[in-house]
């Protein structure tokens, strides 16, 4: 995936498990969420990355943030005192080339 500027996208009705295949590292990044069917994908680009203290000057060139969430149609309304939690398991697996 390549970006041409600051990116902030919301994806609705996602399956519980997402996989990102990265051939350069021969890895698949797996994200498995519970209690969320929405993900926010973002990249701060140049100006916003400069304002974010945890980013180095060129960090925006090498990152993609994916956050599970409950937004829009996946919104959760809680009664006073009620609780809701999102769980995310994140791991990587080697891409095995066919023999």
């Amino acid at each position: 995936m390549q970006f041409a500027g600051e990116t902030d996208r919301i994806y609705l009705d996602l399956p519980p498990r997402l996989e990102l295949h990265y051939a350069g590292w021969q890895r698949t990044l797996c994200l498995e969420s519970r209690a969320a069917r929405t993900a926010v994908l973002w990249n701060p680009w140049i100006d916003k990355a400069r304002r974010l203290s945890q980013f180095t000057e060129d960090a925006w060139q090498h990152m993609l943030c994916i956050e599970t969430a409950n937004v829009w149609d996946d919104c959760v309304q809680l009664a006073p005192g009620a609780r809701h939690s999102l769980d995310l398991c994140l791991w990587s697996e080697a891409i095995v080339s066919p023999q």
Side-chain angles (χ1 to χ4, degrees), residues 54-66:
Q54 70 270 31
F55 281 81
T56 60
E57 184 73 18
D58 66 344
W60 62 273
Q61 297 177 49
H62 310 286
M63 63 84 64
L64 163 69
C65 182
I66 302 173

Side-chain angles (χ1 to χ4, degrees), residues 3-96:
F3 300 103
E6 183 179 337
T7 302
D8 199 353
R9 297 181 187 147
I10 296 173
Y11 293 90
L12 299 170
D13 297 321
L14 296 175
R17 181 174 169 156
L18 302 175
E19 294 183 355
L20 292 101
H21 305 282
Y22 187 59
W25 285 354
Q26 291 294 300
R27 305 294 297 174
T28 296
L29 180 62
C30 304
L31 298 92
E32 192 167 280
S33 65
R34 187 172 38 182
R37 294 179 301 119
T38 306
V40 179
L41 179 141
W42 64 274
N43 178 285
W45 206 246
I46 301 165
D47 293 335
K48 188 177 273 186
R50 287 182 179 147
R51 294 191 309 267
L52 296 170
S53 63
Q54 70 270 31
F55 281 81
T56 60
E57 184 73 18
D58 66 344
W60 62 273
Q61 297 177 49
H62 310 286
M63 63 84 64
L64 163 69
C65 182
I66 302 173
E67 301 177 56
T68 57
N70 291 120
V71 298
W72 288 346
D73 294 342
D74 193 26
C75 183
V76 174
Q77 294 186 10
L78 299 174
R83 294 180 181 199
H84 177 74
S85 63
L86 304 177
D87 295 315
L88 176 67
C89 292
L90 175 67
W91 71 96
S92 69
E93 298 175 349
I95 296 174
V96 179

